[in-house]
Amino acid sequence: MKRVTIKDKTFEPSMPEAMIKARVKELALQISKDMEGKNPLFLAVLNGAFIFAADLMREMTIPCEISFVKLASYQGTTSTGKIKEVMGINESLSGRTVIILEDIVETGLTVRQMIESLGTRNPASVHICTLFFKPERLKEDLKLDYVAFRIPNDFILGYGLDYDQQGRGLKDLYTLAE
């Protein structure tokens, strides 16, 4: 792993793909155990969670389904604090066990809005699964059911996460260099 430059910013390697995939496999096994007999519906938040969602789904050992929702709250390296739904959910959620798949939870605003939106559709339960979590940034009172990695408040890139729509395809995780 070596430094990468995306547009005007340089990023340092911070976590290899093998470490991420090993933890995703552990999460899938835990979710499979916890959700045995429930056929959960995963709602992956695009664009960032698509690689995480694909890797997690391949490791699940129980019947499950997946759909995608697209929300936007970022511009460049900072959250705008305003979330707008871009692409919604077509499936019936009534009586379903729903698991929101996020690439990263920072303030919790995106997840809070999703939970409120999903609540009007009568799911049996809603759970939150995130690849990365920045506890020091959290502003909302959320119960995160599954957290792969707790990380410091650094800007990260790779494994689906981007800087201004670039760098999502990097296999490893990178942190913005000072």
Side-chain angles (χ1 to χ4, degrees):
M1 292 172 46
K2 59 182 184 183
R3 294 178 109 188
V4 296
T5 300
I6 306 288
K7 292 192 169 188
D8 59 338
K9 306 233 180 283
T10 300
F11 296 84
E12 303 266 353
S14 56
M15 191 180 298
E17 176 189 30
M19 184 177 180
I20 299 168
K21 284 191 165 190
R23 183 66 184 117
V24 169
K25 184 173 185 166
E26 289 172 5
L27 270 184
L29 294 174
Q30 184 62 53
I31 294 168
S32 294
K33 181 180 169 213
D34 293 350
M35 300 294 160
E36 184 69 42
K38 293 188 179 172
N39 189 30
L41 172 64
F42 289 98
L43 290 179
V45 180
L46 295 174
N47 290 341
F50 79 104
I51 291 174
F52 171 44
D55 286 349
L56 185 77
M57 290 297 290
R58 285 192 288 258
E59 298 293 345
M60 292 298 296
T61 62
I62 61 169
C64 55
E65 298 171 32
I66 190 165
S67 190
F68 297 88
V69 62
K70 186 167 181 178
L71 303 165
S73 65
Y74 259 85
Q75 274 187 317
T77 60
T78 55
S79 176
T80 63
K82 295 182 181 126
I83 295 133
K84 61 177 189 170
E85 187 166 353
V86 180
M87 184 174 77
I89 305 155
N90 298 322
E91 290 77 10
S92 169
L93 302 183
S94 187
R96 296 293 306 267
T97 298
V98 175
I99 302 173
I100 298 169
L101 293 181
E102 266 283 27
D103 56 347
I104 188 166
V105 172
E106 293 185 42
T107 64
L109 294 170
T110 302
V111 174
R112 170 67 52 220
Q113 179 175 319
M114 272 198 72
I115 291 168
E116 289 171 6
S117 175
L118 297 176
T120 65
R121 302 175 96 162
N122 304 313
S125 61
V126 177
H127 306 270
I128 304 164
C129 177
T130 186
L131 184 58
F132 300 108
F133 172 48
K134 294 182 179 179
E136 64 191 71
R137 294 270 325 243
L138 192 64
K139 293 180 180 173
E140 298 291 321
D141 183 24
L142 293 175
K143 178 182 180 262
L144 301 177
D145 301 278
Y146 305 98
V147 176
F149 299 98
R150 293 175 190 276
I151 61 170
N153 188 26
D154 297 322
F155 187 81
I156 57 174
L157 170 81
Y159 200 79
L161 288 90
D162 72 301
Y163 165 51
D164 213 13
Q165 298 302 322
Q166 300 296 305
R168 287 190 197 281
L170 294 168
K171 293 180 180 187
D172 303 307
L173 191 71
Y174 293 81
T175 301
L176 181 63
E178 293 301 322

